[in-house]
């Protein structure tokens, strides 16, 4: 396997899919977006956002040190979880080269935000996220819909028995409780990837060593902060609350994006180009300043998938162009409200488990 690059891969060239008038459906939209300057970096915007986030983290840490002896310190787990999610969003954007076009700088930004501040492997995330972007919602190629604790198609649900079968039957009800474990799971997957034998095939020895040292530094710093600012009992409860709220926040951001949307079927013989592959499998959430901030811009999931390197503040500006282009092609463009998006995603999970409930 070739050595991993520092940033997430660009989308595959959109030349193989459905065409109109002898050219790709995506090319005219790409040209329009480029001419509008929406692919140009917004380094200053990101610098301000990252600085404010770091100052917020410093303020919460200061608060922990001042009131760590009281159970009131648990209230600080809420802003810490929110700021930790912001940290993850900046790491995600750095991995897509949204912040800067320099690979080395992007890698440093992502290593600081993912490995050091969150305890999550940037290389593991990049590898997984690259495959998701290349084939969203493809059961055999997208790791985000691979059968695991949850399953996303009735075909995957069939044959699940025992505890896994019980989970599948009730997965719609269990989805959000399970997301509280996501913050911890991301750490476990990252540590396993970096310190496993297979990691050597994806990274050079020095890259792996840097990742490993930063992950260990995160654990040491996090444990030191908790144990020096509050009693052991407070520290354990605070850590659990922080990680559960972080997982829930990330789940709220990622859950609406693709669940219940089109699933590419290669068996049908239909071959989608880049535009249809990304638009038909993605769902947008209507944006406003609050949702844009809370969801880290991922509510513009269609625009993000079409243009992964587009800076976050430009996604909402690109939306009218993308929507109009899809309308001209007769391509379905899905956008809904935040609550409705969760209803649709959970309804899909419930329907997936129907065969098992019928057999019970």
């Amino acid at each position: 396997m070739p050595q991993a690059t520092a940033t997430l891969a660009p989308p595959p060239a959109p030349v193989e899919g459905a065409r109109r008038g002898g050219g790709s459906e995506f090319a005219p939209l790409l040209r329009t977006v480029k001419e509008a300057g929406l692919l140009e970096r917004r380094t200053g915007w990101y610098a301000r956002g990252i600085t404010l986030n770091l100052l917020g983290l410093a303020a919460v840490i200061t608060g922990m040190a001042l009131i760590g002896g009281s159970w009131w310190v648990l209230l600080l787990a809420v802003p810490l979880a929110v700021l930790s999610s912001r940290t993850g969003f900046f790491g995600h954007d750095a991995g897509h080269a949204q912040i800067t076009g320099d690979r080395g700088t992007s890698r440093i930004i992502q290593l600081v935000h993912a490995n050091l501040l969150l305890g999550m492997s940037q290389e593991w995330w990049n590898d997984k996220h690259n495959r998701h972007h290349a084939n969203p919602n493809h059961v055999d190629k997208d790791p985000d819909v691979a059968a695991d604790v949850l399953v996303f198609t009735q075909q995957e649900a069939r044959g699940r028995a025992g505890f896994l079968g019980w989970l599948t039957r009730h997965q719609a009800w269990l989805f959000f409780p399970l997301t509280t474990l996501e913050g911890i799971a991301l750490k476990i997957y990252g540590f396993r990837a970096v310190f496993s034998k297979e990691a050597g095939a994806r990274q050079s020895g020095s890259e792996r060593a840097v990742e490993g040292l930063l992950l260990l530094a995160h654990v040491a710093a996090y444990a030191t902060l908790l144990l020096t600012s509050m009693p052991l009992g407070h520290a354990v409860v605070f850590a659990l609350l922080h990680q559960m709220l972080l997982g829930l926040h990330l789940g709220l951001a990622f859950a609406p994006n693709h669940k219940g949307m089109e699933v590419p079927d290669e068996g049908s013989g239909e071959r989608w180009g880049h535009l249809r592959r990304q638009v038909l499998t993605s769902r947008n959430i209507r944006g406003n300043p609050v949702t844009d901030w809370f969801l880290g811009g991922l509510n513009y999931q269609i625009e993000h998938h079409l243009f992964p390197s587009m800076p976050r503040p430009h996604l909402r500006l690109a939306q009218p162009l993308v929507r109009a282009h899809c309308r001209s092609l007769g391509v379905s463009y899905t956008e809904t409200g935040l609550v409705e998006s969760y209803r649709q995603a959970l309804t899909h999970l419930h329907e997936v488990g129907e065969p098992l409930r019928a057999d019970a």
Side-chain angles (χ1 to χ4, degrees), residues 3 19 25 31 48 53 68 77 82 114 117 136 151 162-163 172 201 219 230 234 247 255 273 330 348 355:
Q3 184 174 312
R19 294 173 179 271
E25 294 178 316
R31 184 164 53 250
R48 289 191 297 273
N53 193 63
V82 172
L117 296 179
V151 294
F163 180 63
V219 173
M230 61 189 76
H234 293 50
H348 173 71

Side-chain angles (χ1 to χ4, degrees), residues 72-341:
W72 288 106
V73 73
L74 296 183
L75 294 176
L76 292 177
V78 177
L80 185 59
V82 172
L83 292 168
S84 296
S85 296
R86 303 277 78 87
T87 300
F89 294 147
F90 285 124
H92 166 270
D93 292 1
H96 278 297
Q98 293 179 20
I99 302 175
T100 172
D102 182 78
R103 285 187 173 185
T105 303
S106 293
R107 183 169 188 268
I108 291 172
I109 294 172
Q110 196 178 25
L111 282 170
V112 170
H113 284 79
N115 293 59
L116 182 61
L117 296 179
L118 288 182
M120 183 185 79
S121 165
Q122 65 94 25
E123 162 56 22
W124 167 80
W125 172 260
N126 283 357
D127 175 70
K128 176 177 179 289
H129 206 54
N130 268 335
R131 288 182 283 135
H132 161 68
H133 266 264
N135 293 283
N137 260 18
H138 193 296
V139 174
D140 297 323
K141 298 179 180 180
D142 182 357
D144 286 359
V145 295
D148 196 358
V149 176
L150 302 175
V151 294
F152 302 96
T153 68
Q154 290 190 350
Q155 181 178 356
E156 292 175 322
R158 293 188 179 93
R160 304 254 293 188
F163 180 63
L164 288 179
W166 179 84
L167 282 176
T168 302
R169 288 195 297 273
H170 304 285
Q171 63 181 5
W173 295 99
L174 295 171
F175 179 76
F176 283 114
L178 287 172
T179 61
T180 62
L181 303 176
E182 185 67 16
I184 298 173
L186 290 173
K187 292 175 172 58
I188 293 174
Y189 290 142
F191 268 83
R192 184 187 300 167
V194 170
F195 293 102
S196 67
K197 294 180 180 179
E198 291 77 14
R202 295 192 301 268
Q203 294 179 285
S204 68
S206 60
E207 289 174 334
R208 187 180 178 186
V210 169
E211 277 223 78
L213 288 173
L214 288 174
L215 289 177
L216 293 174
H218 167 82
V219 173
Y222 189 63
T224 300
L225 169 64
L226 293 177
L227 295 176
T228 57
S229 62
M230 61 189 76
L232 179 60
H234 293 50
V236 172
V237 176
F238 187 98
L240 287 173
L241 186 58
H242 170 220
Q243 297 302 322
M244 291 174 68
L245 290 173
L246 169 60
L248 179 61
H249 189 170
L250 294 176
L252 289 170
F254 293 128
N257 298 340
H258 302 281
K259 292 172 179 59
M261 296 302 295
E262 290 275 2
V263 176
D265 182 7
E266 290 184 347
S268 68
E270 181 179 21
R271 301 182 67 199
W272 289 347
H274 176 62
L275 185 136
R276 291 176 185 256
R277 184 165 58 246
Q278 305 300 339
V279 173
L280 296 177
T281 60
S282 302
R283 177 191 292 111
N284 271 21
I285 310 301
R286 292 190 189 95
N288 59 56
V290 175
T291 55
D292 289 3
W293 180 84
F294 184 74
L295 300 178
L298 296 178
N299 48 311
Y300 300 104
Q301 190 68 194
I302 293 173
E303 288 71 28
H304 171 58
H305 263 256
L306 286 172
F307 307 100
S309 65
M310 180 178 288
R312 194 192 312 174
H314 287 173
L315 294 172
R316 65 180 180 83
L317 302 178
Q319 185 182 38
L321 302 176
V322 174
R323 185 191 285 117
H325 186 68
C326 289
R327 186 184 303 116
S328 71
L329 295 171
V331 175
S332 177
Y333 181 101
T334 301
E335 182 180 41
T336 186
L338 182 62
V339 175
E340 174 62 15
S341 73

